[in-house]
Amino acid sequence: MKNLQSKIIISDQFSTFLSLFGDIFFDRKSESVVVLCDQNTAHYCLPALQEIIREKGLVWNVFVMNAGEEFKTLHQSQEMIQFLLQTGATRNTVLINLGGGTVCDLGGFVASVYKRGIPFLNLPTTLIAQADAAIGGKTGVNHLTIKNLIGTFHAPMAVGIFPQFLQTLPQQHWKSGLGELFKYAMIGADISLQAISALQPNNTQPLTGVIQEAVRFKTAIVDADPFEKGPRKVLNFGHTVGHAIESLALENNLGITHGEAVAAGVVAETYLSVEALDLNSSVLNKVSEFFLQHFSIQPELTEDPARLLQLMLHDKKNRSHDAIQPVLLSQNGEPRVNETVSQELITRSLVFLHELIQKRGG
Ligand SMILES: NC(=O)c1ccc[n+]([C@@H]2O[C@H](COP(=O)([O-])OP(=O)(O)OC[C@H]3O[C@@H](n4cnc5c(N)ncnc54)[C@H](O)[C@@H]3O)[C@@H](O)[C@H]2O)c1
């Protein structure tokens, strides 16, 4: 079976980044390049990429998708596929995903199915995508408001991470990235909550270090378990509750970013860990404090535990339809997978989260 390894380049120097990234094209006989971006990355990030593509003398086309999670759909994928067809893309065409997790997930999915698979590169432009979404080879789109219901495993040939892209990221999406880093801090990456709190988009040195550590941590886990049979599941900490909140937001047109939802999920799943596995309650206090300091979530999203429970029952991480299995933290803080938690306890964790969110509002 194939693995999901990709060449990963991280540099906060633009010239180094350009030349390393350009060398990847130089290495292969690509016939043409299609760039997938959204309206924002077309504006802020595409001009930098144009330089390399022109320099290599490649034929290239650009597809600009609508920005935002609500466009991570099969319909948008079909439009992209139609564009590839119209522009004569072959199996030797390289797709470059220039954007956040939405662009990388959707573009990776299209690359995995178009003509049974074409090569692609990820050039992540959000904190979530640089620290997490662009690596590891999970692709996907949402369906009927269920997150990532349709997807594949298909690794990019390479991932080029240039932290300076983050300087134009809106505050809400910067915060979203902090949510995913919050998860990494809790599951054993060498990233402290203090280090996350101190990050600034324009202070690229510490930022590059934290992204490097998240990438190192994730890569080691993905290499050991590419298709999520066991250990890779730990990367889903915070996501059982987080995905349910995101799905509810999609259903009701309520705005929340992926990372904000994951941060809320980290709180609820830490609560579950205290109750189910005797994790020290001081961890929950620390986690709650960090959450209150950085995130502000609409209380409407957590006021109906029964609906959130229903959405959680769809989670791909469950082994059966009526058993909910969030990732938990054991007594010594290490992540544990395949632990079934009662619906009554999950309801209590959601009530705890809701009260915390109301506290933030008040
Ligand atoms: N495949 C994985 O392993 C994995 C892991 C984590 C998250 N994800 C997915 O990632 C998605 C969330 O990622 P995201 O937060 O990056 O979302 P996103 O791609 O929707 O980007 C968020 C917003 O930022 C804008 N933007 C992107 N780069 C910019 C820049 N440099 N300057 C200005 N604006 C910019 C985008 O246009 C968009 O409006 C979710 O769908 C989530 O499920 C996937």
Side-chain angles (χ1 to χ4, degrees):
M1 206 179 239
K2 62 182 184 174
N3 64 36
L4 294 176
Q5 287 166 346
S6 311
K7 186 168 178 169
I8 297 177
I9 294 160
I10 307 181
S11 176
D12 55 4
Q13 298 299 317
F14 195 54
S15 53
T16 316
F17 176 75
L18 278 187
S19 90
L20 289 172
F21 208 69
D23 286 349
I24 292 170
F25 285 113
F26 209 60
D27 269 357
R28 33 174 312 121
K29 297 190 171 42
S30 341
E31 283 174 3
S32 61
V33 173
V34 172
V35 180
L36 170 65
C37 47
D38 65 25
Q39 291 113 334
N40 297 319
T41 60
H43 178 70
Y44 293 112
C45 312
L46 188 60
L49 183 61
Q50 281 170 340
E51 237 179 84
I52 328 176
I53 299 177
R54 283 213 188 97
E55 193 190 304
K56 298 289 165 198
L58 293 161
V59 177
W60 66 299
N61 292 292
V62 180
F63 182 77
V64 183
M65 65 177 277
N66 294 314
E69 179 75 28
E70 62 275 33
F71 296 101
K72 202 175 99 173
T73 59
L74 260 188
H75 177 72
Q76 191 72 217
S77 309
Q78 281 168 329
E79 294 202 346
M80 170 81 202
I81 288 169
Q82 186 62 24
F83 181 81
L84 290 173
L85 195 63
Q86 273 165 1
T87 53
T90 69
R91 278 191 179 161
N92 283 327
T93 298
V94 177
L95 174 64
I96 301 183
N97 297 321
L98 178 69
T102 300
V103 166
C104 293
D105 277 7
L106 185 140
F109 174 66
V110 168
S112 72
V113 294
Y114 181 74
K115 299 200 171 180
R116 296 212 172 86
I118 61 172
F120 75 107
L121 305 172
N122 279 339
L123 259 180
T125 63
T126 62
L127 183 52
I128 279 213
Q130 295 196 346
D132 193 340
I135 54 171
K138 273 191 185 178
T139 82
V141 293
N142 306 330
H143 184 63
L144 300 175
T145 74
I146 302 171
K147 286 276 301 175
N148 306 325
L149 185 70
I150 302 166
T152 57
F153 286 102
H154 188 57
M157 286 191 301
V159 182
I161 299 172
F162 180 55
Q164 289 192 35
F165 275 145
L166 306 183
Q167 291 184 14
T168 55
L169 202 58
Q171 174 72 355
Q172 192 195 18
H173 295 293
W174 169 258
K175 289 253 160 162
S176 177
L178 300 186
E180 202 79 64
L181 290 174
F182 184 23
K183 169 200 83 178
Y184 276 107
M186 298 311 298
I187 59 172
D190 189 8
I191 298 172
S192 67
L193 295 183
Q194 292 89 315
I196 299 174
S197 295
L199 289 178
Q200 298 288 339
N202 54 5
N203 193 357
T204 44
Q205 225 176 23
L207 181 58
T208 305
V210 166
I211 293 171
Q212 249 160 351
E213 170 56 14
V215 169
R216 182 204 65 76
F217 186 83
K218 180 168 183 178
T219 305
I221 290 176
V222 172
D223 287 353
D225 177 24
F227 301 102
E228 205 171 274
K229 301 289 180 217
R232 184 171 177 167
K233 291 182 187 171
V234 304
L235 296 170
N236 296 323
F237 183 60
H239 283 65
T240 298
V241 173
H243 275 170
I245 293 175
E246 257 189 299
S247 293
L248 193 70
L250 281 170
E251 264 179 18
N252 295 293
N253 264 330
L254 290 169
I256 189 166
T257 61
H258 177 71
E260 286 167 333
V262 169
V266 165
V267 173
E269 293 175 26
T270 303
Y271 178 96
L272 293 175
S273 307
V274 170
E275 296 293 315
L277 297 185
D278 280 340
L279 176 71
N280 194 310
S281 59
S282 65
V283 181
L284 181 60
N285 295 341
K286 216 167 62 171
V287 158
S288 303
E289 200 182 303
F290 183 84
F291 178 78
L292 288 176
Q293 191 186 345
H294 294 284
F295 303 97
S296 163
I297 286 171
Q298 300 180 60
E300 291 85 340
L301 285 167
T302 48
E303 70 190 2
D304 185 357
R307 179 66 193 129
L308 287 172
L309 260 176
Q310 245 172 9
L311 290 163
M312 273 178 233
L313 290 165
H314 282 293
D315 198 306
K316 298 181 289 305
K317 297 178 283 303
N318 303 332
R319 280 185 295 190
S320 76
H321 273 306
D322 55 359
I324 300 178
Q325 296 183 313
V327 179
L328 299 180
L329 301 176
S330 69
Q331 267 178 9
N332 55 5
E334 282 173 11
R336 289 250 293 263
V337 299
N338 300 335
E339 301 276 345
T340 300
V341 177
S342 74
Q343 299 189 12
E344 185 270 330
L345 184 52
I346 292 183
T347 303
R348 278 201 274 138
S349 76
L350 294 171
V351 170
F352 175 84
L353 174 65
H354 185 60
E355 284 172 2
L356 196 68
I357 288 171
Q358 283 185 312
K359 198 163 148 189
R360 173 72 150 86

